[in-house]
Amino acid sequence: MRKLLFSFLATFAAVFLTGQANLQAAEADALAKIKERGYVRVGVFSDKPPFGYVDKEGKNQGYDIYFAKRIAKDLLGDESKVKFELVEAAGRVEVLVADKVDITLANFTKTPERARVVDFALPYMKVSLGVVSPDGAVIKSVDELKGKKLIVNKGTTADAYFTKNHPDIELIKYDQNTETFAALVDKRGVALAHDNALLFAWAKENPGFTVGIEALGEVDVIAPAVKKGNKALLEWLNNEITELGKENFFHKNYDATLKPIYGDSVNPESLVVEGGKL
């Protein structure tokens, strides 16, 4: 009987160790596959300037794009070795789970719910919710939204925040940012809730609208995400963000992509996270 028990335990240990070894090999392979493929697949927005958008020439531009190119340069030796996969807000987790991208960089706010499904690297931005509305009918407090229609993007932190905390406010939801802001312009709702960093830029480029609520809820962080369990790529990203902080990379990114939009109206320290440290 004792021999059978020892035999069972030995077999179990061998199977467990083999499984662990296979898992570690698969994690390492995930990083090796990117190098073997010759390009890194990054999920980004096409319609969220100045963070991720497609310009008139069909080229990807923005804060996330600037970072993605640097990732490609440091990982593969060439900033052009990146393939941008355009995603919508509600699909940022799905593309990772389905292995359609290696990294999601679509202005992705870290939440406990998302962190249960994907793995987040160190942050490179911080953000709060804001609310923008038309001049002449500026919404300055959440109380003013009660019984009215508020426009949000599906699957965003704005959607989650108002659904949980203010069920008495009717939410009008859209998949794409272009649809969401068009709905505000067309007055399908009295206001629009989104990341305040985006709203500051949008209101500046669209006269007639004001961010009446500049900060709402807790300060969140924006970070790259990888498929759950992809430790090799996660560790590489964490090291990359830490090293980039030593050269003030994200402030340079801000100056190149966000400052031309914000001017001096926004303090970069309210948005930029350098080296992954809040």
Side-chain angles (χ1 to χ4, degrees):
M1 186 68 181
R2 185 176 295 177
K3 289 182 178 180
L4 286 174
L5 178 60
F6 284 145
S7 176
F8 171 77
L9 291 175
T11 302
F12 177 80
V15 171
F16 176 78
L17 291 173
T18 300
Q20 288 294 101
N22 289 340
L23 178 60
Q24 291 174 357
E27 291 170 358
D29 283 348
L31 195 54
K33 282 180 181 178
I34 295 174
K35 295 180 179 180
E36 183 179 347
R37 188 196 305 135
Y39 60 88
V40 58
R41 303 169 301 170
V42 181
V44 296
F45 280 130
S46 65
D47 60 352
K48 192 174 181 181
F51 303 101
Y53 64 100
V54 178
D55 65 17
K56 294 178 181 179
E57 297 179 359
K59 296 180 180 179
N60 295 89
Q61 303 287 0
Y63 189 85
D64 288 340
I65 311 305
Y66 191 101
F67 181 24
K69 289 181 178 180
R70 179 59 185 264
I71 288 173
K73 180 182 178 181
D74 291 344
L75 182 59
L76 298 165
D78 187 338
E79 70 171 24
S80 69
K81 300 295 185 180
V82 55
K83 182 180 181 183
F84 295 113
E85 297 289 349
L86 305 182
V87 300
E88 295 177 356
R92 289 174 291 184
V93 167
E94 180 185 343
V95 292
L96 284 170
V97 173
D99 197 30
K100 294 180 179 178
V101 302
D102 302 302
I103 305 167
T104 290
L105 262 188
N107 210 229
F108 206 11
T109 304
K110 181 179 180 180
T111 67
E113 294 77 18
R114 291 169 179 167
R116 285 194 284 268
V117 187
V118 300
D119 286 334
F120 283 93
L122 293 172
Y124 62 98
M125 283 190 73
K126 53 190 173 183
V127 68
S128 298
L129 292 178
V131 177
V132 64
S133 48
D135 291 350
V138 177
I139 299 295
K140 296 182 179 180
S141 73
V142 173
D143 289 340
E144 295 175 24
L145 291 168
K146 292 181 179 180
K148 299 176 182 178
K149 295 180 179 180
L150 175 67
I151 303 164
V152 297
N153 278 71
K154 292 179 184 176
T156 60
T157 48
D159 182 1
Y161 175 84
F162 280 98
T163 297
K164 178 181 179 180
N165 298 295
H166 301 283
D168 52 342
I169 297 173
E170 181 180 354
L171 300 182
I172 308 299
K173 304 180 183 182
Y174 297 92
D175 288 315
Q176 299 180 357
N177 284 309
T178 48
E179 296 176 314
T180 306
F181 285 100
L184 178 64
V185 173
D186 293 342
K187 299 181 179 179
R188 281 173 263 170
V190 298
L192 183 154
H194 215 309
D195 292 347
N196 59 358
L198 171 65
L199 297 185
F200 292 143
W202 187 85
K204 190 158 187 176
E205 293 190 337
N206 291 269
F209 294 89
T210 297
V211 182
I213 303 177
E214 295 189 354
L216 188 64
E218 298 180 358
V219 175
D220 293 312
V221 297
I222 290 174
V226 301
K227 190 173 183 178
K228 197 71 175 177
N230 190 349
K231 292 183 180 179
L233 183 55
L234 182 66
E235 289 176 3
W236 187 93
L237 280 170
N238 284 337
N239 183 67
E240 174 77 347
I241 291 169
T242 300
E243 290 299 312
L244 290 177
K246 296 176 181 178
E247 61 180 73
N248 225 30
F249 171 82
F250 292 101
H251 282 81
K252 294 175 184 176
N253 188 350
Y254 179 95
D255 289 343
T257 61
L258 302 186
K259 190 172 182 179
I261 304 298
Y262 293 141
D264 295 325
S265 63
V266 175
N267 180 0
E269 301 308 319
S270 68
L271 297 176
V272 176
V273 176
E274 201 68 74
K277 298 179 181 179
L278 290 174

